[in-house]
Amino acid sequence: MFSSPFRNVASLYRRTDRRFRASLLLTVFCVLLTPLPQSSAQDNSEFPLKNGRVVVGPDFAMAEELKDLGNPKGKLFEFMMPLADSEIFDGTDSTLDRRKPVRKERKIVVYVPAAYEDGTAAPFLVMHDGPSRLNLVRNALDNMTISKDPHRKLPAFVAIAVQNGGDDSKGSQRGLEYDTMSDRLARFIQLEVLPAVENHPTIRKAYPNFELTDDPWGRAVMGCSSGGAAALTMGWFRPEWFRRLITYSGTFVDQQDDDAPEEAEYPLGAWEYHSSMKLIENSEKKPLRIFTHVAENDNRANDPESTYHNWVMANERTADALEAKGYDYRYVFSKASRHCDRRVFEATLADTLAWMWHGYEPADD
């Protein structure tokens, strides 16, 4: 019934006195109860950028990793996408205020880092309001994809900066794209922007086997203000597509068009993430990794709750909701700073990217 080694142990046990038997049993139990050593790759306790709440400022300095340190550069590509060609955002939505200008075409800027190997399925970061902070992200890629510090090393992700459709707030094309509580923007990026990037002839000429990953854990979204709210909304409504989300000065306030059909379900727009509806807390937990930020002097910081437009209150409550629900989240509060403050990006974006991509492993093909 037992293999030879087990028979030998049983025979030894029978032939020994009572005290030795007790000692032998104690030794066996100690061995069984001792935990197996964990490999350093699996040990997250040493990762210095912890989840939870972080306060920065009032003094800010640009992180070295966001400067041009002379490391090998990748390739930059630009092209235009006419709005009229889109089946999702063609610039003629019935909710638009005709007094607010709509772009005829939007610019797409793509940065492929030097560390990218043609033929691999690249992770990527979609950046709203492109080109936005692309210069900082480019430097981070140049410097941190070759970092010797495993806690600072970034995967060779492709940065895709997408210009908004024009203007701002309710009644604007930008507001329609970013402040609407639906999967519409996620579908636009997934079904129209990403194929345009993958199949662009100039990119294909430089990288004949260029490919973007289908792994949702390899797909990140970043934005500030309404672009930040849009980042969360993309992952919220389509976590099967986008799971790593970065929001600075997120517009988790009521800026959805008053005549939008989504008003029926979400009457206060992105305010509903943390409102009495408690959308985050009352919904099934989603597979998302979420970074949020707000500035001490962010938009309408002294407004009462009844305005549904206090950015500081909105982001504080969003962080509370993420924590209560047990999300993998990091929340930065920046002192002596303002809405989408460039100094905050310069001081924190390297840490944010390192935290956001922590634990990423390319999916098996």
Side-chain angles (χ1 to χ4, degrees):
M1 180 176 179
F2 296 104
S3 63
S4 180
F6 284 100
R7 285 200 300 268
N8 291 339
V9 170
S11 176
L12 176 62
Y13 182 83
R14 289 193 298 271
R15 288 187 281 107
T16 54
D17 61 31
R18 187 174 301 170
R19 285 176 299 175
F20 182 82
R21 291 178 184 180
S23 176
L24 180 62
L25 285 172
L26 179 62
T27 300
V28 170
F29 279 117
C30 287
V31 170
L32 291 175
L33 293 174
T34 301
L36 294 174
Q38 298 293 315
S39 69
S40 58
Q42 296 173 327
D43 185 5
N44 294 325
S45 63
E46 296 180 0
F47 187 60
L49 300 171
K50 302 301 183 184
N51 287 5
R53 295 166 179 263
V54 179
V55 177
V56 299
D59 299 318
F60 302 95
M62 180 181 282
E64 284 296 307
E65 293 152 314
L66 300 181
K67 298 177 181 178
D68 185 348
L69 301 180
N71 288 315
K73 304 290 190 293
K75 291 183 170 62
L76 188 72
F77 306 89
E78 292 186 10
F79 62 93
M80 306 300 289
M81 293 184 66
L83 268 68
D85 291 349
S86 173
E87 294 183 2
I88 300 172
F89 291 124
D90 65 0
T92 66
D93 196 273
S94 61
T95 65
L96 295 177
D97 182 341
R98 298 306 165 190
R99 295 169 296 182
K100 294 190 173 185
V102 177
R103 300 186 199 278
K104 297 296 184 183
E105 53 185 7
R106 73 175 81 234
K107 181 186 294 185
I108 310 294
V109 186
V110 179
Y111 185 68
V112 182
Y116 171 70
E117 296 180 6
D118 188 29
T120 60
F124 59 85
L125 170 67
V126 174
M127 302 176 64
H128 295 318
D129 289 319
S132 187
R133 307 300 185 190
L134 183 58
N135 61 324
L136 298 179
V137 173
R138 288 174 61 184
N139 287 339
L141 283 166
D142 296 343
N143 299 327
M144 298 174 72
T145 54
I146 60 174
S147 175
K148 302 300 183 183
D149 182 349
H151 299 318
R152 308 296 293 177
K153 189 176 178 65
L154 293 178
F157 66 81
V158 173
I160 304 171
V162 182
Q163 193 174 45
N164 66 65
D167 214 272
D168 191 25
S169 195
K170 293 184 178 184
S172 71
Q173 180 66 35
R174 179 178 184 266
L176 172 67
E177 295 168 5
Y178 291 173
D179 294 314
T180 303
M181 292 288 284
S182 76
D183 72 344
R184 195 169 176 182
L185 181 62
R187 288 188 290 110
F188 172 66
I189 297 296
Q190 172 71 15
L191 302 177
E192 297 189 0
V193 175
L194 298 183
V197 170
E198 269 196 322
N199 298 308
H200 195 272
T202 306
I203 298 176
R204 281 285 175 186
K205 183 176 181 181
Y207 303 97
N209 301 300
F210 183 72
E211 182 182 357
L212 297 172
T213 185
D214 290 328
D215 174 15
W217 285 114
R219 295 157 149 243
V221 189
M222 170 178 160
C224 195
S225 192
S226 289
L232 178 58
T233 296
M234 283 177 61
W236 184 262
F237 286 96
R238 288 291 188 157
E240 73 273 26
W241 288 341
F242 308 99
R243 293 187 178 175
R244 298 181 186 271
L245 315 173
I246 299 174
T247 83
Y248 278 86
S249 292
T251 301
F252 303 125
V253 303
D254 182 16
Q255 274 195 190
Q256 183 170 259
D257 281 323
D258 296 329
D259 54 350
E262 290 79 10
E263 287 281 283
E265 188 170 0
Y266 308 103
L268 298 179
W271 189 268
E272 303 292 14
Y273 282 124
H274 54 83
S275 70
S276 58
M277 180 186 288
K278 293 187 176 181
L279 182 59
I280 291 174
E281 292 184 63
N282 290 333
S283 300
E284 181 179 351
K285 185 180 174 184
K286 302 172 186 287
L288 302 172
R289 186 169 174 85
I290 304 170
F291 170 90
T292 62
H293 154 270
V294 79
E296 182 177 19
N297 303 310
D298 220 306
N299 287 350
R300 300 173 66 167
N302 297 316
D303 270 22
E305 180 176 1
S306 58
T307 66
Y308 310 126
H309 266 83
N310 184 320
W311 265 250
V312 177
M313 181 186 295
N315 280 275
E316 286 279 333
R317 298 193 337 181
T318 297
D320 288 342
L322 293 172
E323 182 175 13
K325 195 67 177 181
Y327 272 96
D328 199 8
Y329 88 104
R330 182 173 169 90
Y331 170 58
V332 169
F333 180 91
S334 57
K335 293 183 175 180
S337 53
R338 296 187 178 277
H339 188 69
C340 292
D341 198 318
R342 182 177 182 84
R343 298 172 305 152
V344 177
F345 278 94
E346 292 175 345
T348 66
L349 187 56
D351 280 353
T352 299
L353 291 172
W355 179 85
M356 178 53 62
W357 289 101
H358 177 62
Y360 171 70
E361 294 291 342
D364 295 331
D365 294 332

